[in-house]
Amino acid sequence: MSIRDALKIPAADITDEWIYQQRRQFVSALALTPAILATGCSKAEPPGAVNLAAISPSLLNSGFVTDETRTLERDATTYNNFYEFGTNKGDPAKFAHRMTTSPWTITVSGECENPGTIDMDDIARKFRDQERVYRMRCVEGWSMVIPWLGIPLGDLLKTFKPTSKAKYVAFETLADRNAMVGMRYPSIKWPYREGLRIDEAMHPLTILANGMYGKKLPNQNGAPLRLIVPWKYGFKGIKSIVAIRFTEKAPTSSWNQLQPSEYGFFSNVNRNVDHPRWSQKSERRISGSEGKLFADRIPTKMFNGYADQVAALYQGMDLRKWF
Ligand code: MTE
C-alpha cells in the first residue's frame, strides 16, 4: 500500500488490513482453484421491485448530504479498490493513468424502447451535475465520507425508456488489457460486472458520479463515470462503466459470481449479517485524526444510515436470505 507509508499504521488498525489481506488471499486462491466456486446458494430469482411512486418523494430525496467529517481527498484518491489495476490499495493510483477516458461511450441495451449509445459530452449537455455527500462502507470494514458530483442514475435510464420487462439493470466496466495491468490475473472473471434491481437503480440516492471534491473524477476512482449506491457495500459501485443493459432476470455481479455464499446480489449494508469470515457490526472511517489513516471503530448502521430512505424497498424480504 502506498498511502501514508504502511509501516506507520498503528497496531490497532491492523484488523482492517487483516481483513483486506484475507480477501486478497481469497481472490488469489480462487484464481487457482475455480472448482470451489460451485457453492450452494439459492438460485431463485430475488423478490421483485417495489413501486417507488408510492413512497413520499421528500423521503426518497432526503439523505443527499451528510455533515459528517469528510475523508481527505488525498486518502480517497490513493486508497482504492480497482482490481483491473492490481489488488494493492495503492495500485490504482499508480497505474490507472494508463486508461484513456476520453472519448468515452456507454452502450445502453436490453429491455428498453430507445437502445443506443451515449457519450460523456451528451451527458454533460443533458444533465446538470449535483453534489452528494455520501458515506461509503466497504465490505472490508472501512468507510469514507465523500463529496461526489454526479447525476441521478434514474434520470439517465428514463431517457432510454425501459419497458415493463426491465426488472434489473446490469453494468459492465471497460476491459482494456493493454491499459489495465491487473487484468492479466484472473482474480475476477473480467469484465467487472454489477447489477441492481430496477427500483434500486431508479432510487434518487443512486447516482452516476463523474467527479469528486468539486473536480473531475480521477481514473483510480472510476473515471469517467461510476456507480454510487450509498446504502450498499462499496463493491456495488462499479467503476469506468461502458455498458448498461436492462434485463428481465437478475444479472451477474462479479463478487457474487466469485463467491455467492459471501457476497449476495443485494449486498445491502447490514450489521446483523456477518460476512462468513468477519463481523460487519462496526467500521473505521478513513481519515482518522492526527494523521492516522483509520479513525476509531464506530458501529455500522443498518443500510449504512440510509434506512429511512431505502428500507421500504425491502419490505417483507428476509434480509438474511437476501443479503
Ligand atoms: N469497479 C471495478 N471495475 N473494479 C473494482 O475492482 N472495486 C469495488 C468498487 N468498484 C472495483 C470497482 C470495490 S471492492 C470498492 S470498495 C469500490 O469500488 C472502491 O471505490 P474507491 O476506490 O473509489 O473508494
Side-chain angles (χ1 to χ4, degrees), residues 23 76 79-84 136 138-140 142 144 146 148 173 188 190 192 220-221 226 234-240 255:
R23 195 174 181 218
Y79 191 85
N80 299 105
N81 277 333
F82 199 163
Y83 280 28
E84 287 86 336
M136 195 262 257
C138 181
V139 76
E140 295 163 54
W142 43 267
M144 304 199 197
I146 297 182
W148 298 107
T173 294
I188 278 170
W190 311 112
Y192 194 99
Q220 62 267 32
N221 292 89
R226 59 95 54 94
F235 65 84
K236 295 297 278 187
I238 182 169
K239 297 178 168 181
S240 307
W255 283 95

PDB file of all heavy atoms in Angstrom, residues 23 76 79-84 136 138-140 142 144 146 148 173 188 190 192 220-221 226 234-240 255, ligand 1:
ATOM      1  N   ARG A  23      -9.192 -11.116   2.102  1.00  0.00           N
ATOM      2  CA  ARG A  23      -9.992 -11.054   0.883  1.00  0.00           C
ATOM      3  C   ARG A  23      -9.086 -11.212  -0.338  1.00  0.00           C
ATOM      4  O   ARG A  23      -9.407 -11.893  -1.293  1.00  0.00           O
ATOM      5  CB  ARG A  23     -10.712  -9.704   0.848  1.00  0.00           C
ATOM      6  CG  ARG A  23     -11.842  -9.660  -0.162  1.00  0.00           C
ATOM      7  CD  ARG A  23     -12.573  -8.360  -0.001  1.00  0.00           C
ATOM      8  NE  ARG A  23     -13.679  -8.253  -0.926  1.00  0.00           N
ATOM      9  CZ  ARG A  23     -13.995  -7.109  -1.523  1.00  0.00           C
ATOM     10  NH1 ARG A  23     -13.299  -6.029  -1.293  1.00  0.00           N
ATOM     11  NH2 ARG A  23     -15.022  -7.056  -2.342  1.00  0.00           N
ATOM     12  N   ALA A  76      -8.873   9.423  -0.178  1.00  0.00           N
ATOM     13  CA  ALA A  76      -9.913   8.837  -1.043  1.00  0.00           C
ATOM     14  C   ALA A  76      -9.383   8.551  -2.448  1.00  0.00           C
ATOM     15  O   ALA A  76      -9.971   7.754  -3.183  1.00  0.00           O
ATOM     16  CB  ALA A  76     -11.113   9.764  -1.111  1.00  0.00           C
ATOM     17  N   TYR A  79      -6.192   5.323  -1.693  1.00  0.00           N
ATOM     18  CA  TYR A  79      -6.502   4.060  -1.006  1.00  0.00           C
ATOM     19  C   TYR A  79      -7.716   3.492  -1.717  1.00  0.00           C
ATOM     20  O   TYR A  79      -8.858   3.793  -1.372  1.00  0.00           O
ATOM     21  CB  TYR A  79      -6.808   4.352   0.469  1.00  0.00           C
ATOM     22  CG  TYR A  79      -6.899   3.133   1.350  1.00  0.00           C
ATOM     23  CD1 TYR A  79      -5.756   2.574   1.909  1.00  0.00           C
ATOM     24  CD2 TYR A  79      -8.127   2.552   1.648  1.00  0.00           C
ATOM     25  CE1 TYR A  79      -5.838   1.457   2.736  1.00  0.00           C
ATOM     26  CE2 TYR A  79      -8.218   1.439   2.477  1.00  0.00           C
ATOM     27  CZ  TYR A  79      -7.065   0.900   3.013  1.00  0.00           C
ATOM     28  OH  TYR A  79      -7.153  -0.202   3.842  1.00  0.00           O
ATOM     29  N   ASN A  80      -7.488   2.714  -2.769  1.00  0.00           N
ATOM     30  CA  ASN A  80      -8.584   2.336  -3.665  1.00  0.00           C
ATOM     31  C   ASN A  80      -8.675   0.841  -3.921  1.00  0.00           C
ATOM     32  O   ASN A  80      -7.695   0.122  -3.814  1.00  0.00           O
ATOM     33  CB  ASN A  80      -8.393   3.029  -5.032  1.00  0.00           C
ATOM     34  CG  ASN A  80      -8.412   4.536  -4.920  1.00  0.00           C
ATOM     35  OD1 ASN A  80      -7.371   5.188  -4.992  1.00  0.00           O
ATOM     36  ND2 ASN A  80      -9.582   5.098  -4.710  1.00  0.00           N
ATOM     37  N   ASN A  81      -9.859   0.438  -4.326  1.00  0.00           N
ATOM     38  CA  ASN A  81     -10.074  -0.893  -4.896  1.00  0.00           C
ATOM     39  C   ASN A  81     -10.457  -0.695  -6.355  1.00  0.00           C
ATOM     40  O   ASN A  81     -11.488  -0.066  -6.654  1.00  0.00           O
ATOM     41  CB  ASN A  81     -11.229  -1.612  -4.186  1.00  0.00           C
ATOM     42  CG  ASN A  81     -10.796  -2.278  -2.897  1.00  0.00           C
ATOM     43  OD1 ASN A  81      -9.627  -2.655  -2.736  1.00  0.00           O
ATOM     44  ND2 ASN A  81     -11.727  -2.439  -1.976  1.00  0.00           N
ATOM     45  N   PHE A  82      -9.622  -1.185  -7.243  1.00  0.00           N
ATOM     46  CA  PHE A  82      -9.916  -1.180  -8.680  1.00  0.00           C
ATOM     47  C   PHE A  82      -9.016  -2.298  -9.218  1.00  0.00           C
ATOM     48  O   PHE A  82      -7.901  -2.061  -9.670  1.00  0.00           O
ATOM     49  CB  PHE A  82      -9.584   0.182  -9.293  1.00  0.00           C
ATOM     50  CG  PHE A  82     -10.232   0.486 -10.625  1.00  0.00           C
ATOM     51  CD1 PHE A  82     -10.294   1.802 -11.097  1.00  0.00           C
ATOM     52  CD2 PHE A  82     -10.790  -0.507 -11.425  1.00  0.00           C
ATOM     53  CE1 PHE A  82     -10.893   2.122 -12.317  1.00  0.00           C
ATOM     54  CE2 PHE A  82     -11.386  -0.206 -12.645  1.00  0.00           C
ATOM     55  CZ  PHE A  82     -11.433   1.117 -13.086  1.00  0.00           C
ATOM     56  N   TYR A  83      -9.530  -3.535  -9.086  1.00  0.00           N
ATOM     57  CA  TYR A  83      -8.699  -4.724  -9.300  1.00  0.00           C
ATOM     58  C   TYR A  83      -8.129  -4.820 -10.712  1.00  0.00           C
ATOM     59  O   TYR A  83      -7.146  -5.517 -10.928  1.00  0.00           O
ATOM     60  CB  TYR A  83      -9.500  -5.989  -8.951  1.00  0.00           C
ATOM     61  CG  TYR A  83      -9.555  -6.280  -7.459  1.00  0.00           C
ATOM     62  CD1 TYR A  83      -9.460  -5.266  -6.517  1.00  0.00           C
ATOM     63  CD2 TYR A  83      -9.679  -7.583  -6.994  1.00  0.00           C
ATOM     64  CE1 TYR A  83      -9.498  -5.539  -5.162  1.00  0.00           C
ATOM     65  CE2 TYR A  83      -9.718  -7.869  -5.633  1.00  0.00           C
ATOM     66  CZ  TYR A  83      -9.627  -6.835  -4.724  1.00  0.00           C
ATOM     67  OH  TYR A  83      -9.652  -7.116  -3.376  1.00  0.00           O
ATOM     68  N   GLU A  84      -8.757  -4.114 -11.677  1.00  0.00           N
ATOM     69  CA  GLU A  84      -8.212  -4.120 -13.029  1.00  0.00           C
ATOM     70  C   GLU A  84      -6.800  -3.538 -13.044  1.00  0.00           C
ATOM     71  O   GLU A  84      -6.016  -3.759 -13.977  1.00  0.00           O
ATOM     72  CB  GLU A  84      -9.098  -3.295 -13.981  1.00  0.00           C
ATOM     73  CG  GLU A  84     -10.422  -3.956 -14.343  1.00  0.00           C
ATOM     74  CD  GLU A  84     -11.541  -3.695 -13.331  1.00  0.00           C
ATOM     75  OE1 GLU A  84     -11.234  -3.408 -12.146  1.00  0.00           O
ATOM     76  OE2 GLU A  84     -12.711  -3.787 -13.733  1.00  0.00           O
ATOM     77  N   MET A 136     -19.618   5.927   2.432  1.00  0.00           N
ATOM     78  CA  MET A 136     -19.368   4.740   1.623  1.00  0.00           C
ATOM     79  C   MET A 136     -18.760   3.677   2.533  1.00  0.00           C
ATOM     80  O   MET A 136     -17.727   3.922   3.143  1.00  0.00           O
ATOM     81  CB  MET A 136     -18.415   5.073   0.472  1.00  0.00           C
ATOM     82  CG  MET A 136     -18.383   4.036  -0.601  1.00  0.00           C
ATOM     83  SD  MET A 136     -17.014   2.913  -0.442  1.00  0.00           S
ATOM     84  CE  MET A 136     -15.938   3.542  -1.689  1.00  0.00           C
ATOM     85  N   CYS A 138     -17.171   0.041   2.925  1.00  0.00           N
ATOM     86  CA  CYS A 138     -16.572  -1.058   2.172  1.00  0.00           C
ATOM     87  C   CYS A 138     -16.815  -2.362   2.925  1.00  0.00           C
ATOM     88  O   CYS A 138     -16.815  -2.385   4.159  1.00  0.00           O
ATOM     89  CB  CYS A 138     -15.088  -0.818   1.973  1.00  0.00           C
ATOM     90  SG  CYS A 138     -14.298  -2.129   1.032  1.00  0.00           S
ATOM     91  N   VAL A 139     -17.012  -3.446   2.208  1.00  0.00           N
ATOM     92  CA  VAL A 139     -17.255  -4.752   2.824  1.00  0.00           C
ATOM     93  C   VAL A 139     -16.084  -5.165   3.720  1.00  0.00           C
ATOM     94  O   VAL A 139     -16.234  -5.936   4.657  1.00  0.00           O
ATOM     95  CB  VAL A 139     -17.551  -5.810   1.717  1.00  0.00           C
ATOM     96  CG1 VAL A 139     -16.287  -6.235   0.992  1.00  0.00           C
ATOM     97  CG2 VAL A 139     -18.307  -7.006   2.266  1.00  0.00           C
ATOM     98  N   GLU A 140     -14.888  -4.597   3.450  1.00  0.00           N
ATOM     99  CA  GLU A 140     -13.695  -4.956   4.229  1.00  0.00           C
ATOM    100  C   GLU A 140     -13.652  -4.298   5.609  1.00  0.00           C
ATOM    101  O   GLU A 140     -12.749  -4.566   6.384  1.00  0.00           O
ATOM    102  CB  GLU A 140     -12.437  -4.570   3.455  1.00  0.00           C
ATOM    103  CG  GLU A 140     -12.259  -5.346   2.169  1.00  0.00           C
ATOM    104  CD  GLU A 140     -11.257  -4.690   1.233  1.00  0.00           C
ATOM    105  OE1 GLU A 140     -10.129  -4.429   1.661  1.00  0.00           O
ATOM    106  OE2 GLU A 140     -11.617  -4.418   0.079  1.00  0.00           O
ATOM    107  N   TRP A 142     -13.848  -0.738   6.383  1.00  0.00           N
ATOM    108  CA  TRP A 142     -13.557   0.686   6.496  1.00  0.00           C
ATOM    109  C   TRP A 142     -14.633   1.469   5.748  1.00  0.00           C
ATOM    110  O   TRP A 142     -15.393   0.912   4.951  1.00  0.00           O
ATOM    111  CB  TRP A 142     -12.166   1.039   5.963  1.00  0.00           C
ATOM    112  CG  TRP A 142     -11.772   0.373   4.680  1.00  0.00           C
ATOM    113  CD1 TRP A 142     -11.081  -0.806   4.545  1.00  0.00           C
ATOM    114  CD2 TRP A 142     -12.061   0.813   3.347  1.00  0.00           C
ATOM    115  NE1 TRP A 142     -10.930  -1.117   3.222  1.00  0.00           N
ATOM    116  CE2 TRP A 142     -11.513  -0.139   2.462  1.00  0.00           C
ATOM    117  CE3 TRP A 142     -12.726   1.907   2.807  1.00  0.00           C
ATOM    118  CZ2 TRP A 142     -11.613  -0.029   1.080  1.00  0.00           C
ATOM    119  CZ3 TRP A 142     -12.820   2.025   1.429  1.00  0.00           C
ATOM    120  CH2 TRP A 142     -12.268   1.059   0.593  1.00  0.00           C
ATOM    121  N   MET A 144     -15.766   5.704   4.238  1.00  0.00           N
ATOM    122  CA  MET A 144     -15.330   7.053   3.891  1.00  0.00           C
ATOM    123  C   MET A 144     -16.560   7.954   3.810  1.00  0.00           C
ATOM    124  O   MET A 144     -17.687   7.466   3.723  1.00  0.00           O
ATOM    125  CB  MET A 144     -14.637   7.088   2.526  1.00  0.00           C
ATOM    126  CG  MET A 144     -13.459   6.164   2.374  1.00  0.00           C
ATOM    127  SD  MET A 144     -12.427   6.697   0.981  1.00  0.00           S
ATOM    128  CE  MET A 144     -11.452   5.218   0.712  1.00  0.00           C
ATOM    129  N   ILE A 146     -17.591  11.001   1.267  1.00  0.00           N
ATOM    130  CA  ILE A 146     -17.036  11.592   0.039  1.00  0.00           C
ATOM    131  C   ILE A 146     -18.038  12.537  -0.620  1.00  0.00           C
ATOM    132  O   ILE A 146     -19.201  12.184  -0.801  1.00  0.00           O
ATOM    133  CB  ILE A 146     -16.633  10.468  -0.949  1.00  0.00           C
ATOM    134  CG1 ILE A 146     -15.526   9.621  -0.306  1.00  0.00           C
ATOM    135  CG2 ILE A 146     -16.194  11.044  -2.294  1.00  0.00           C
ATOM    136  CD1 ILE A 146     -14.988   8.522  -1.164  1.00  0.00           C
ATOM    137  N   TRP A 148     -19.363  13.642  -3.757  1.00  0.00           N
ATOM    138  CA  TRP A 148     -19.378  13.244  -5.175  1.00  0.00           C
ATOM    139  C   TRP A 148     -20.035  14.324  -6.015  1.00  0.00           C
ATOM    140  O   TRP A 148     -20.870  15.077  -5.518  1.00  0.00           O
ATOM    141  CB  TRP A 148     -20.194  11.965  -5.367  1.00  0.00           C
ATOM    142  CG  TRP A 148     -19.682  10.765  -4.655  1.00  0.00           C
ATOM    143  CD1 TRP A 148     -20.224  10.188  -3.544  1.00  0.00           C
ATOM    144  CD2 TRP A 148     -18.544   9.966  -4.991  1.00  0.00           C
ATOM    145  NE1 TRP A 148     -19.488   9.093  -3.176  1.00  0.00           N
ATOM    146  CE2 TRP A 148     -18.452   8.937  -4.031  1.00  0.00           C
ATOM    147  CE3 TRP A 148     -17.585  10.021  -6.008  1.00  0.00           C
ATOM    148  CZ2 TRP A 148     -17.443   7.968  -4.069  1.00  0.00           C
ATOM    149  CZ3 TRP A 148     -16.591   9.049  -6.033  1.00  0.00           C
ATOM    150  CH2 TRP A 148     -16.521   8.052  -5.083  1.00  0.00           C
ATOM    151  N   THR A 173     -17.787  -2.842 -16.712  1.00  0.00           N
ATOM    152  CA  THR A 173     -16.609  -1.952 -16.760  1.00  0.00           C
ATOM    153  C   THR A 173     -15.838  -2.195 -18.056  1.00  0.00           C
ATOM    154  O   THR A 173     -15.873  -3.304 -18.608  1.00  0.00           O
ATOM    155  CB  THR A 173     -15.700  -2.260 -15.547  1.00  0.00           C
ATOM    156  OG1 THR A 173     -16.385  -1.904 -14.363  1.00  0.00           O
ATOM    157  CG2 THR A 173     -14.375  -1.516 -15.597  1.00  0.00           C
ATOM    158  N   ILE A 188     -10.747 -11.894 -10.994  1.00  0.00           N
ATOM    159  CA  ILE A 188     -12.182 -11.727 -11.237  1.00  0.00           C
ATOM    160  C   ILE A 188     -12.409 -12.144 -12.673  1.00  0.00           C
ATOM    161  O   ILE A 188     -11.516 -12.015 -13.508  1.00  0.00           O
ATOM    162  CB  ILE A 188     -12.571 -10.246 -10.993  1.00  0.00           C
ATOM    163  CG1 ILE A 188     -12.770 -10.021  -9.492  1.00  0.00           C
ATOM    164  CG2 ILE A 188     -13.804  -9.834 -11.778  1.00  0.00           C
ATOM    165  CD1 ILE A 188     -12.916  -8.595  -9.071  1.00  0.00           C
ATOM    166  N   TRP A 190     -13.252 -11.186 -15.798  1.00  0.00           N
ATOM    167  CA  TRP A 190     -13.411  -9.875 -16.437  1.00  0.00           C
ATOM    168  C   TRP A 190     -14.401  -9.931 -17.573  1.00  0.00           C
ATOM    169  O   TRP A 190     -14.510 -10.965 -18.194  1.00  0.00           O
ATOM    170  CB  TRP A 190     -12.042  -9.384 -16.948  1.00  0.00           C
ATOM    171  CG  TRP A 190     -10.959  -9.489 -15.938  1.00  0.00           C
ATOM    172  CD1 TRP A 190      -9.876 -10.325 -15.973  1.00  0.00           C
ATOM    173  CD2 TRP A 190     -10.831  -8.712 -14.727  1.00  0.00           C
ATOM    174  NE1 TRP A 190      -9.098 -10.126 -14.856  1.00  0.00           N
ATOM    175  CE2 TRP A 190      -9.652  -9.156 -14.085  1.00  0.00           C
ATOM    176  CE3 TRP A 190     -11.596  -7.706 -14.128  1.00  0.00           C
ATOM    177  CZ2 TRP A 190      -9.219  -8.623 -12.871  1.00  0.00           C
ATOM    178  CZ3 TRP A 190     -11.163  -7.179 -12.928  1.00  0.00           C
ATOM    179  CH2 TRP A 190      -9.995  -7.638 -12.316  1.00  0.00           C
ATOM    180  N   TYR A 192     -15.415  -6.615 -15.039  1.00  0.00           N
ATOM    181  CA  TYR A 192     -16.114  -6.435 -13.763  1.00  0.00           C
ATOM    182  C   TYR A 192     -17.580  -6.128 -14.081  1.00  0.00           C
ATOM    183  O   TYR A 192     -17.882  -5.323 -14.969  1.00  0.00           O
ATOM    184  CB  TYR A 192     -15.482  -5.271 -13.019  1.00  0.00           C
ATOM    185  CG  TYR A 192     -15.829  -5.133 -11.544  1.00  0.00           C
ATOM    186  CD1 TYR A 192     -14.951  -5.600 -10.570  1.00  0.00           C
ATOM    187  CD2 TYR A 192     -16.983  -4.496 -11.125  1.00  0.00           C
ATOM    188  CE1 TYR A 192     -15.232  -5.444  -9.208  1.00  0.00           C
ATOM    189  CE2 TYR A 192     -17.272  -4.329  -9.777  1.00  0.00           C
ATOM    190  CZ  TYR A 192     -16.396  -4.807  -8.824  1.00  0.00           C
ATOM    191  OH  TYR A 192     -16.674  -4.645  -7.489  1.00  0.00           O
ATOM    192  N   GLN A 220      -8.418   6.488 -10.955  1.00  0.00           N
ATOM    193  CA  GLN A 220      -8.404   5.412  -9.953  1.00  0.00           C
ATOM    194  C   GLN A 220      -9.729   5.285  -9.215  1.00  0.00           C
ATOM    195  O   GLN A 220     -10.028   4.250  -8.620  1.00  0.00           O
ATOM    196  CB  GLN A 220      -7.246   5.604  -8.955  1.00  0.00           C
ATOM    197  CG  GLN A 220      -7.288   6.873  -8.135  1.00  0.00           C
ATOM    198  CD  GLN A 220      -6.506   8.007  -8.782  1.00  0.00           C
ATOM    199  OE1 GLN A 220      -6.437   8.100 -10.002  1.00  0.00           O
ATOM    200  NE2 GLN A 220      -5.921   8.875  -7.969  1.00  0.00           N
ATOM    201  N   ASN A 221     -10.557   6.343  -9.263  1.00  0.00           N
ATOM    202  CA  ASN A 221     -11.874   6.295  -8.613  1.00  0.00           C
ATOM    203  C   ASN A 221     -12.978   5.931  -9.603  1.00  0.00           C
ATOM    204  O   ASN A 221     -14.155   5.929  -9.239  1.00  0.00           O
ATOM    205  CB  ASN A 221     -12.184   7.617  -7.918  1.00  0.00           C
ATOM    206  CG  ASN A 221     -11.275   7.839  -6.715  1.00  0.00           C
ATOM    207  OD1 ASN A 221     -10.197   8.405  -6.857  1.00  0.00           O
ATOM    208  ND2 ASN A 221     -11.669   7.359  -5.551  1.00  0.00           N
ATOM    209  N   ARG A 226     -18.903   6.340 -12.764  1.00  0.00           N
ATOM    210  CA  ARG A 226     -19.028   5.135 -11.928  1.00  0.00           C
ATOM    211  C   ARG A 226     -20.301   5.235 -11.104  1.00  0.00           C
ATOM    212  O   ARG A 226     -20.851   6.319 -10.906  1.00  0.00           O
ATOM    213  CB  ARG A 226     -17.791   4.950 -11.049  1.00  0.00           C
ATOM    214  CG  ARG A 226     -17.437   6.060 -10.073  1.00  0.00           C
ATOM    215  CD  ARG A 226     -17.938   5.880  -8.692  1.00  0.00           C
ATOM    216  NE  ARG A 226     -17.646   4.700  -7.970  1.00  0.00           N
ATOM    217  CZ  ARG A 226     -16.630   4.540  -7.126  1.00  0.00           C
ATOM    218  NH1 ARG A 226     -15.752   5.499  -6.938  1.00  0.00           N
ATOM    219  NH2 ARG A 226     -16.524   3.430  -6.438  1.00  0.00           N
ATOM    220  N   GLY A 234     -19.431  -1.060  -0.791  1.00  0.00           N
ATOM    221  CA  GLY A 234     -18.723  -0.306  -1.843  1.00  0.00           C
ATOM    222  C   GLY A 234     -18.513  -1.063  -3.135  1.00  0.00           C
ATOM    223  O   GLY A 234     -18.436  -0.434  -4.198  1.00  0.00           O
ATOM    224  N   PHE A 235     -18.435  -2.404  -3.085  1.00  0.00           N
ATOM    225  CA  PHE A 235     -18.120  -3.115  -4.335  1.00  0.00           C
ATOM    226  C   PHE A 235     -19.242  -3.042  -5.358  1.00  0.00           C
ATOM    227  O   PHE A 235     -19.045  -3.327  -6.536  1.00  0.00           O
ATOM    228  CB  PHE A 235     -17.704  -4.567  -4.058  1.00  0.00           C
ATOM    229  CG  PHE A 235     -18.750  -5.458  -3.484  1.00  0.00           C
ATOM    230  CD1 PHE A 235     -19.666  -6.096  -4.308  1.00  0.00           C
ATOM    231  CD2 PHE A 235     -18.824  -5.690  -2.109  1.00  0.00           C
ATOM    232  CE1 PHE A 235     -20.633  -6.938  -3.770  1.00  0.00           C
ATOM    233  CE2 PHE A 235     -19.779  -6.541  -1.576  1.00  0.00           C
ATOM    234  CZ  PHE A 235     -20.688  -7.156  -2.405  1.00  0.00           C
ATOM    235  N   LYS A 236     -20.472  -2.640  -4.908  1.00  0.00           N
ATOM    236  CA  LYS A 236     -21.547  -2.459  -5.890  1.00  0.00           C
ATOM    237  C   LYS A 236     -21.263  -1.237  -6.781  1.00  0.00           C
ATOM    238  O   LYS A 236     -21.861  -1.091  -7.846  1.00  0.00           O
ATOM    239  CB  LYS A 236     -22.898  -2.247  -5.188  1.00  0.00           C
ATOM    240  CG  LYS A 236     -23.401  -3.430  -4.393  1.00  0.00           C
ATOM    241  CD  LYS A 236     -23.692  -4.662  -5.223  1.00  0.00           C
ATOM    242  CE  LYS A 236     -25.047  -4.638  -5.894  1.00  0.00           C
ATOM    243  NZ  LYS A 236     -25.326  -5.943  -6.551  1.00  0.00           N
ATOM    244  N   GLY A 237     -20.382  -0.340  -6.313  1.00  0.00           N
ATOM    245  CA  GLY A 237     -20.087   0.907  -7.038  1.00  0.00           C
ATOM    246  C   GLY A 237     -19.141   0.680  -8.200  1.00  0.00           C
ATOM    247  O   GLY A 237     -17.970   1.098  -8.179  1.00  0.00           O
ATOM    248  N   ILE A 238     -19.628   0.040  -9.232  1.00  0.00           N
ATOM    249  CA  ILE A 238     -18.803  -0.342 -10.389  1.00  0.00           C
ATOM    250  C   ILE A 238     -18.216   0.897 -11.083  1.00  0.00           C
ATOM    251  O   ILE A 238     -18.906   1.899 -11.270  1.00  0.00           O
ATOM    252  CB  ILE A 238     -19.618  -1.230 -11.362  1.00  0.00           C
ATOM    253  CG1 ILE A 238     -18.786  -1.676 -12.555  1.00  0.00           C
ATOM    254  CG2 ILE A 238     -20.895  -0.537 -11.824  1.00  0.00           C
ATOM    255  CD1 ILE A 238     -19.481  -2.764 -13.399  1.00  0.00           C
ATOM    256  N   LYS A 239     -16.943   0.774 -11.440  1.00  0.00           N
ATOM    257  CA  LYS A 239     -16.203   1.918 -11.995  1.00  0.00           C
ATOM    258  C   LYS A 239     -16.110   1.864 -13.522  1.00  0.00           C
ATOM    259  O   LYS A 239     -16.268   0.795 -14.129  1.00  0.00           O
ATOM    260  CB  LYS A 239     -14.786   1.920 -11.413  1.00  0.00           C
ATOM    261  CG  LYS A 239     -14.764   2.111  -9.898  1.00  0.00           C
ATOM    262  CD  LYS A 239     -13.353   2.059  -9.347  1.00  0.00           C
ATOM    263  CE  LYS A 239     -13.348   2.542  -7.905  1.00  0.00           C
ATOM    264  NZ  LYS A 239     -11.997   2.542  -7.337  1.00  0.00           N
ATOM    265  N   SER A 240     -15.804   3.019 -14.100  1.00  0.00           N
ATOM    266  CA  SER A 240     -15.476   3.126 -15.531  1.00  0.00           C
ATOM    267  C   SER A 240     -16.431   2.299 -16.392  1.00  0.00           C
ATOM    268  O   SER A 240     -16.034   1.370 -17.115  1.00  0.00           O
ATOM    269  CB  SER A 240     -14.014   2.704 -15.767  1.00  0.00           C
ATOM    270  OG  SER A 240     -13.160   3.438 -14.922  1.00  0.00           O
ATOM    271  N   TRP A 255     -18.609 -10.094  -7.706  1.00  0.00           N
ATOM    272  CA  TRP A 255     -18.270 -10.708  -6.415  1.00  0.00           C
ATOM    273  C   TRP A 255     -19.232 -11.831  -6.074  1.00  0.00           C
ATOM    274  O   TRP A 255     -18.846 -12.832  -5.479  1.00  0.00           O
ATOM    275  CB  TRP A 255     -18.237  -9.647  -5.309  1.00  0.00           C
ATOM    276  CG  TRP A 255     -16.981  -8.851  -5.390  1.00  0.00           C
ATOM    277  CD1 TRP A 255     -16.806  -7.658  -6.025  1.00  0.00           C
ATOM    278  CD2 TRP A 255     -15.693  -9.223  -4.879  1.00  0.00           C
ATOM    279  NE1 TRP A 255     -15.492  -7.267  -5.927  1.00  0.00           N
ATOM    280  CE2 TRP A 255     -14.796  -8.199  -5.224  1.00  0.00           C
ATOM    281  CE3 TRP A 255     -15.220 -10.315  -4.149  1.00  0.00           C
ATOM    282  CZ2 TRP A 255     -13.448  -8.238  -4.878  1.00  0.00           C
ATOM    283  CZ3 TRP A 255     -13.880 -10.358  -3.801  1.00  0.00           C
ATOM    284  CH2 TRP A 255     -13.012  -9.323  -4.165  1.00  0.00           C
TER     285      TRP A 255
HETATM  286  N1  MTE B   1     -15.140  -1.424 -10.049  1.00  0.00           N
HETATM  287  C1  MTE B   1     -14.292  -2.107 -10.843  1.00  0.00           C
HETATM  288  N2  MTE B   1     -14.452  -2.034 -12.166  1.00  0.00           N
HETATM  289  N3  MTE B   1     -13.277  -2.852 -10.344  1.00  0.00           N
HETATM  290  C2  MTE B   1     -13.087  -2.992  -8.994  1.00  0.00           C
HETATM  291  O1  MTE B   1     -12.165  -3.712  -8.572  1.00  0.00           O
HETATM  292  N4  MTE B   1     -13.863  -2.382  -6.749  1.00  0.00           N
HETATM  293  C3  MTE B   1     -15.072  -2.103  -5.974  1.00  0.00           C
HETATM  294  C4  MTE B   1     -15.777  -0.817  -6.433  1.00  0.00           C
HETATM  295  N5  MTE B   1     -15.820  -0.757  -7.891  1.00  0.00           N
HETATM  296  C5  MTE B   1     -13.968  -2.286  -8.109  1.00  0.00           C
HETATM  297  C6  MTE B   1     -14.980  -1.484  -8.688  1.00  0.00           C
HETATM  298  C7  MTE B   1     -14.810  -2.034  -4.537  1.00  0.00           C
HETATM  299  S1  MTE B   1     -14.427  -3.517  -3.787  1.00  0.00           S
HETATM  300  C8  MTE B   1     -14.904  -0.868  -3.825  1.00  0.00           C
HETATM  301  S2  MTE B   1     -14.801  -0.857  -2.122  1.00  0.00           S
HETATM  302  C9  MTE B   1     -15.068   0.434  -4.508  1.00  0.00           C
HETATM  303  O2  MTE B   1     -15.069   0.311  -5.922  1.00  0.00           O
HETATM  304  C10 MTE B   1     -13.923   1.351  -4.112  1.00  0.00           C
HETATM  305  O3  MTE B   1     -14.087   2.633  -4.642  1.00  0.00           O
HETATM  306  P1  MTE B   1     -12.976   3.751  -4.374  1.00  0.00           P
HETATM  307  O4  MTE B   1     -11.652   3.161  -4.743  1.00  0.00           O
HETATM  308  O5  MTE B   1     -13.360   4.914  -5.222  1.00  0.00           O
HETATM  309  O6  MTE B   1     -13.034   4.075  -2.898  1.00  0.00           O
END
